Amino acid sequence: MNILQAKQILSAYTMDKEIAAKDPDVKEAFEMMSQDKELEKWFLQEQSFDKAFAEKMESISPPDRLKENILSAYSASNKEDFKVDNHSTNSTSSPKWLWPLAIAACFVALASITLNIIKTRLDSSPIDALITDIVAYDAYGRFQKLEPSDWFEIEKILEKNNAPVLHSVPVKFQNVDIAGCLSFSHNDHRVSLICIKKDESKFFHLYVVDLENSNNFKAIPQPTYKIFNERPAATWTDNFHLNIMLVNDDEKDSLKQLL
Amino acid sequence: MSTHKENKTLPDFEQLVSTYYKPLYRFAYSLSKNENDACDLTQETFLIWANKGSSLRDVSKVKSWLFTTLYREFLGNRRHALREPPQEEWEGIEEPTSLSSQTHLVNSIDGAEAVVLLAEIEPIYREPLTLFYLKQFSYKEIAKILGLPIGTIMSRLSRGKSILKKKFSKGSPKSLIKMDQWDKEHPINTTTKQ
């Protein structure tokens, strides 16, 4: 090992004593250093520079809301996206003769689900169909662009994005934390999503849909509770806005308490 | 809402986020040089973990898995962007004019300025260098994350550090004072061990 090679190895050394002990190259470079004062001096200065620069890197802080946004996005997507397949490891070891049966069963299940969705949509009112769409959006949404805000800021942000805001905020909403909001369009309707923080890891999603130019608007003065694709939802209208509050199945009671 | 299925060997989602979101964000920020993109990359990484992480059996590989995933996401995102041709001209390790004064200069900047300096370096050096300065990994782990041979990582770290020190010598970024000026104001005692 020459001095250049030793410097290269020492330059990549990350102050992990275990690595030094296990890695013969690092060990050799250290032995070389113990006999070369110049190399030792160089290494100490190198370490000093590295330490100072690493400290600067550590001082970089993510935006305050990043952690909350990650948990919020996870929570929002969790219902559909993150189901753990308990049988996934077993399926690879299934006998080959089971595969045709499994595929056939999948087809039957898919056909049944598709027919059920089509039937639901045909049977439902336009408003119910809209809510079903929102529920589907909520199940697959990743919500990476939540803008941090509180109740006071939220109106400004949504108005700036030409998105609907709550005309009157329910009294109990005054005390809840907001994780963020975003806006999008669906079938020519502007839609706002306000993510309400229930606790550290749980969130409610409030959608506000602008139905001002819709022929299908029907007033729902008081919150009504209904299950859409297994998601409990409270819906009510406020002027020409349709408000949809979505929670997970185990949060039904909290939903009623909040409204 | 429901939480990630409990796994006896793997940390739960919230615990994982709490432990790694800061270093992952720092890595993402250094790669993307943009706060919004860094947030998106960090968030996307955890969401991929939520989908696929349960298949990981070895808890000791969680950290590497997260950083590798973030890096792959970053590469995927910039696939359509023009790639800078790698210019790996090995010139040997240049002896800095004054390493100790460079250390003083590092101390005079903040984290954002450190990233500005790193951002001026070509990605092939910046990526291993960032992982190195995050102090999360050995050079062997850095090689695995970036999918490069160990020797390449070592040479890129060496070369990258040399370039970084040169940047300090030139007094960039803007907020840094010139090396000459610093040396005049702060004479170096070369016999002092740090």
Side-chain angles (χ1 to χ4, degrees), chain A residues 54-85:
Chain A
E55 279 169 7
K56 295 302 163 188
M57 290 291 288
E58 270 180 35
S59 72
I60 297 165
S61 296
D64 292 343
R65 298 274 185 162
L66 178 62
K67 187 182 169 190
E68 287 174 11
N69 286 349
I70 293 167
L71 293 174
S72 168
Y74 167 67
S75 173
S77 307
N78 165 341
K79 188 174 172 67
E80 293 298 326
D81 279 356
F82 305 144
K83 276 182 183 167
V84 177
D85 181 6

Side-chain angles (χ1 to χ4, degrees), chain A residues 7 11 23 46 74 78 81, chain B residues 2 4 95 139 161 165:
Chain A
K7 280 187 175 181
S11 189
D23 191 316
E46 185 85 359
Y74 167 67
N78 165 341
D81 279 356
Chain B
S2 63
H4 196 270
E95 290 299 328
Y139 63 87
K161 282 165 131 187
K165 285 165 195 162

Side-chain angles (χ1 to χ4, degrees), chain A residues 33-47:
Chain A
M33 192 171 67
S34 66
Q35 293 160 9
D36 186 332
K37 292 290 168 199
E38 279 300 308
L39 184 61
E40 187 185 12
K41 186 180 152 192
W42 172 88
F43 179 65
L44 288 171
Q45 288 183 331
E46 185 85 359
Q47 292 272 284

Side-chain angles (χ1 to χ4, degrees), chain B residues 124-170:
Chain B
I124 57 165
Y125 302 116
R126 186 174 72 237
E127 288 157 6
L129 217 49
T130 305
L131 286 169
F132 177 83
Y133 282 124
L134 285 173
K135 292 204 295 182
Q136 299 277 328
F137 302 104
S138 70
Y139 63 87
K140 287 183 180 173
E141 288 171 313
I142 294 172
K144 275 186 190 170
I145 290 169
L146 300 179
L148 292 167
I150 290 169
T152 307
I153 288 299
M154 290 177 85
S155 66
R156 287 186 184 179
L157 277 175
S158 254
R159 176 83 182 116
K161 282 165 131 187
S162 175
I163 296 168
L164 185 63
K165 285 165 195 162
K166 263 189 180 177
K167 298 271 176 201
F168 274 96
S169 301
K170 286 176 185 169

